[in-house]
């Protein structure tokens, strides 16, 4: 029973992390039809921004040494700026191209960011400790102890989800974003400023990536130039499973992937654990065979059928 | 002249969808463009709204050149389009759909007044304020998109096939509403239709468009008997080819 509770919290925490990632992808896709494979690398850049740029083996904290609140604000702001720059410098110029073209451009951007990191910081992994208090454990009851960070990830995710829902439902700009996501051309014909809406989607997506940089680096304690790539793969899978273009779908997909991964780790026999990701991918294929449109169907997706 | 579409040519691919098309609309007028399916009617309206860019020709609105401007800039300038197929935002509720129409406006108190006015004109929208717009019937959706376009406070409204998919009594309701709007707030209208009977009754002036070229222009009153319109509409191999498509 205790083990089950611990596993459940761990599953929710993984699911939350993937849901945040999938949401970052989904926000851009819903408006721009862009699958931004550089999203994972945005997270990486946010991590490296914590330390002094140098190829030295031992990392020295820069922003990472700030007061926690200031640290968080700086990293999030930096990644937001990075996302905005990539819109104005890169994606803006291909936004009328096919989704495939935009996706390839995002790969190129991602590789560019990775190589810039190698140039500045070198290719070796670096140890970084931030928010180290959070990696400790709390005793929930007699037999149950969980990592504080897992609870923080779950809480942060739900705070962000609620904030995002309120923003999209209650504010003028949020309603404009939903309209643009459903029918971009119509929204523009009614005077909604297309460029502003897209820029805002990049800001929100970048903000999520920045927050994820903090959570991820706190969790792993290591920076590597490719660290965004494998998680990006899971975010992408989560958005596909949830149904491209639906934000609810992105969250559902994120939780599905996170929970399945953790549960598989818990129940797979010892010898098979190394193949956990393979098992996840097999499940993904099965889901997509049964529901090619993903779990949550959007109007836009229905129209394309 | 409020709107002047001067000799525009528009391409989707190598072949032009419009060739040297001209349309003018004066303040307070109701102008109608009719033509068979594929004539280029929607292309004309989309060019006016800045969605498509003419390769030749100019479009001016109140003296200002608007071709090359973005759709949102055209909307801001005072042209509001109700496009073919209505395009309600189905995942937004009725009120939110209407609110999108006010995106370009800052005059808070005027917005609220206009909002109430639109709900007065279309009481059914008031009843369904909080319902998802996708749940409305075709006629209600047509009311919604007209109301939404009105809320941009346009000087001219362009409407693409308002009668498409509506029962005849609803078509009459829509046209009555449009005529009321002209009478009460001097709204200028550019309407596109496939069949010209209802349009002829409402319009001051009529254009007939076929195969991307303007065939005929005239005062609706002079064209009431319909023979000239029919000729222009069908071209020379008249009647037999398309007779079933359109009811005169
Ligand atoms: N998106 C598009 N891509 C390519 N060709 C198009 C497109 N839309 C319309 N066309 C072509 O342009 C011509 C005019 O179309 P349209 O303006 O929609 O006509 P109408 O509204 O009068 O029925 C037609 O031949 C049509 O096939
Ligand atoms: Mg049309």
């Amino acid at each position: 029973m205790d083990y089950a509770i611990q596993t459940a919290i761990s599953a929710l925490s993984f699911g939350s992390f993937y849901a945040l990632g999938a949401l970052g992808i989904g926000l851009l896709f819903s408006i721009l039809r862009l699958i931004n494979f550089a999203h994972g690398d945005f997270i990486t850049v946010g991590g490296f921004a914590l330390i002094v740029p140098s190829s030295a083996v031992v990392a020295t904290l820069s922003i990472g040494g700030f007061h926690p609140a200031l640290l968080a604000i700086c990293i999030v702001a930096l990644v937001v700026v990075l996302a905005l720059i990539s819109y104005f410098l890169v994606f803006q110029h291909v936004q009328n191209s096919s989704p495939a073209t935009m996706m390839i451009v995002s790969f190129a951007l991602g590789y560019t960011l990775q190589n810039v990191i190698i140039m500045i910081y070198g290719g070796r992994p670096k140890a970084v400790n931030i928010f180290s208090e959070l990696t400790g454990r709390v005793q929930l009851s007699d037999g149950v102890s969980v990592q504080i960070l897992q609870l923080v990830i779950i809480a942060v995710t739900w705070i962000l989800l609620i904030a995002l829902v309120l923003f999209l439902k209650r504010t003028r700009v949020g309603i404009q974003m939903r309209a643009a996501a459903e029918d971009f051309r119509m929204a523009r014909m009614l005077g909604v400023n297309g460029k502003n809406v897209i820029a805002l989607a990049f800001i929100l997506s970048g903000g999520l990536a920045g927050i994820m940089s903090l959570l991820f680096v706190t969790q792993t304690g290591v920076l590597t130039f490719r660290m965004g790539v494998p998680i990006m793969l899971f975010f992408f899978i989560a958005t596909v499973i949830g149904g491209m273009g639906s934000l609810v779908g992105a969250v559902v997909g994120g939780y599905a992937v996170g929970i399945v991964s953790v549960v598989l780790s818990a129940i797979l026999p010892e010898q098979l654990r190394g193949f956990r990701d393979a098992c996840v991918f097999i499940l993904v294929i099965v889901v997509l065979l049964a529901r090619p449109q993903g779990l949550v169907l959007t109007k836009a997706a229905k129209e394309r059928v | 002249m409020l709107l002047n579409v001067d000799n525009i040519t528009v391409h989707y691919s190598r072949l032009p969808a419009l060739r040297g098309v001209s349309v003018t609309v004066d303040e307070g007028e109701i102008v109608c463009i009719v033509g068979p399916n594929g004539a280029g009617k929607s292309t004309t309206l989309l060019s006016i709204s800045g969605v498509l860019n003419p390769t030749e020709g100019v479009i001016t609105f109140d003296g200002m050149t608007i071709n090359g401007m973005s759709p949102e800039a055209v909307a801001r300038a005072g042209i509001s389009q109700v496009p073919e197929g209505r395009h309600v935002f189905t995942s937004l509720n009725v009120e939110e759909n209407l609110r999108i129409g006010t995106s370009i406006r800052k005059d808070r108190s005027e917005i609220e007044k206009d909002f109430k006015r639109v709900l007065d004109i279309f009481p059914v929208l008031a009843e369904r304020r909080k319902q998802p717009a996708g749940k409305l019937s075709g006629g209600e959706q047509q009311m919604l998109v007209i109301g939404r376009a009105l809320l941009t406070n346009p000087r001219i409204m362009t409407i693409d096939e308002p009668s498409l998919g509506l029962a005849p009594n609803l078509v009459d309701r829509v046209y009555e509403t449009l005529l009321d709007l002209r009478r009460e707030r001097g709204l200028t209208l550019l309407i596109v239709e496939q069949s010209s009977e209802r349009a002829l009754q409402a319009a001051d002036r009529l254009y007939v468009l076929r195969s991307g070229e303007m065939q005929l222009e005239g005062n609706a009153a002079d064209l009431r008997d319909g023979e000239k319109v029919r000729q222009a509409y069908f071209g020379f191999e008249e009647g037999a080819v398309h007779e079933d498509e359109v009811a005169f």
Side-chain angles (χ1 to χ4, degrees), chain A residues 21-23 25-26 35 234-246 249-250 253-254:
Chain A
L23 206 53
I25 311 274
I35 302 170
F234 278 96
F235 303 158
F236 172 61
I237 287 168
T239 30
V240 172
I241 290 198
M244 295 300 305
S246 151

Side-chain angles (χ1 to χ4, degrees), chain A residues 25-69:
Chain A
I25 311 274
L27 273 167
L28 290 185
F29 184 82
S30 67
I31 289 185
L32 214 55
R33 300 285 169 263
L34 159 68
I35 302 170
N36 180 17
F37 272 91
H39 193 73
D41 304 300
F42 288 179
I43 294 174
T44 309
V45 172
F48 275 89
L50 291 162
I51 61 173
V52 176
S54 104
S55 54
V57 181
V58 180
T60 321
L61 291 177
S62 58
I63 295 175
F66 291 2
H67 178 275

Side-chain angles (χ1 to χ4, degrees), chain A residues 191-248:
Chain A
V192 173
N193 187 319
K195 207 175 262 184
N196 287 356
V197 169
I198 295 174
L200 183 61
F202 272 95
I203 289 173
L204 293 176
S205 177
L208 287 174
I211 291 166
M212 296 180 74
S213 302
L214 299 169
L215 298 173
F216 193 57
V217 174
T218 309
Q219 174 77 276
T220 62
V222 181
L223 296 173
T224 68
F225 72 93
R226 293 197 83 238
M227 70 190 203
V229 176
I231 51 176
M232 173 59 211
L233 186 61
F234 278 96
F235 303 158
F236 172 61
I237 287 168
T239 30
V240 172
I241 290 198
M244 295 300 305
S246 151
L247 297 186
V248 176

Side-chain angles (χ1 to χ4, degrees), chain A residues 172 182-183 188 194 299, chain B residues 72 87 90-91 96 102 105:
Chain A
R172 203 170 143 102
E182 186 180 324
D183 193 334
R188 292 184 71 192
K299 191 212 164 218
Chain B
E72 49 267 50
H87 292 261
T90 55
S91 58
E96 288 168 338
T102 66
R105 298 174 58 184

Side-chain angles (χ1 to χ4, degrees), chain A residues 81-217:
Chain A
V81 169
L82 173 66
L84 272 179
I85 290 176
S86 41
Y87 168 51
F88 286 111
L89 237 48
V90 181
F91 292 116
Q92 189 184 11
H93 304 286
V94 291
Q95 74 184 51
N96 297 321
S97 315
S98 71
T101 307
M102 288 196 283
M103 188 172 81
I104 291 165
V105 168
S106 81
F107 269 115
L109 175 64
Y111 279 117
T112 307
L113 290 176
Q114 288 174 33
N115 282 292
V116 169
I117 290 173
I118 295 177
M119 267 161 43
I120 300 176
Y121 295 90
R124 306 246 292 272
K126 294 172 197 290
V128 187
N129 275 313
I130 52 164
F131 303 133
S132 44
E133 331 67 84
L134 298 183
T135 51
R137 301 182 79 82
V138 277
Q139 206 74 22
L140 287 187
S141 70
D142 263 354
V144 188
S145 81
V146 294
Q147 199 185 26
I148 302 171
L149 183 61
Q150 292 188 334
L151 300 177
V152 170
I153 290 177
I154 296 171
V156 166
T157 301
W158 281 93
I159 291 168
L160 290 173
L161 285 182
I162 291 167
L164 186 65
V165 167
L166 287 178
F167 169 74
L168 289 173
K169 294 262 178 196
R170 297 285 165 81
T171 69
R172 203 170 143 102
V173 187
I175 295 170
Q176 288 178 4
M177 264 192 101
R178 280 160 59 215
E182 186 180 324
D183 193 334
F184 193 57
R185 190 179 89 182
M186 187 67 238
R188 292 184 71 192
M189 278 203 271
L190 288 163
V192 173
N193 187 319
K195 207 175 262 184
N196 287 356
V197 169
I198 295 174
L200 183 61
F202 272 95
I203 289 173
L204 293 176
S205 177
L208 287 174
I211 291 166
M212 296 180 74
S213 302
L214 299 169
L215 298 173
F216 193 57
V217 174

